[in-house]
Amino acid sequence: MPGEWSSVRQRYIHVLLNDALVWQVTYGSVNWGAGVSGVAPWPRADYPGSAISDEPVEPTYWTTSWEVELARLLNDLQGNDDFAFSREMEALGWDTRHIHPID
């Protein structure tokens, strides 16, 4: 997980169909203090070149576009008006991939 994420906790969203779990999404619950909190997608890490090199490689983080939109929806539903979602996502610099949840 990114080192600057000291105030973020991993959480899960569960989607049920006829009382059976059909989908689980991981997200980050952010608390910056002073009443500023929000939701952000939980990233995945890629380690480019790690398979061909024995030297440590800095990970690159990515998420999917639907996870970004889900986090944006959760922020809206929770009324996180002070959490600047777009600015936070831009500052993280993650790659956003256009992958459907079923893919």
Side-chain angles (χ1 to χ4, degrees):
M1 194 47 28
E4 64 272 10
W5 274 38
S6 61
S7 298
V8 177
R9 301 290 174 253
Q10 188 175 20
R11 302 282 186 245
Y12 300 94
I13 296 172
H14 299 105
V15 177
L16 305 175
L17 177 62
N18 295 328
D19 296 327
L21 178 67
V22 294
W23 187 36
Q24 175 178 299
V25 179
T26 308
Y27 70 95
S29 178
V30 183
N31 184 349
W32 293 147
V36 179
S37 61
V39 173
W42 196 261
R44 295 166 186 80
D46 277 343
Y47 296 88
S50 62
I52 57 175
S53 173
D54 291 334
E55 295 188 26
V57 178
E58 279 293 315
T60 58
Y61 293 100
W62 64 277
T63 188
T64 65
S65 56
W66 63 269
E67 289 170 327
V68 169
E69 292 307 315
L70 178 62
R72 189 183 309 276
L73 173 64
L74 289 173
N75 280 304
D76 288 345
L77 292 174
Q78 293 178 6
N80 299 329
D81 298 329
D82 293 331
F83 184 71
F85 180 77
S86 296
R87 188 181 69 213
E88 295 289 344
M89 291 302 298
E90 186 178 313
L92 291 168
W94 298 341
D95 181 29
T96 301
R97 299 179 184 176
H98 299 284
I99 301 171
H100 192 274
I102 299 175
D103 291 343

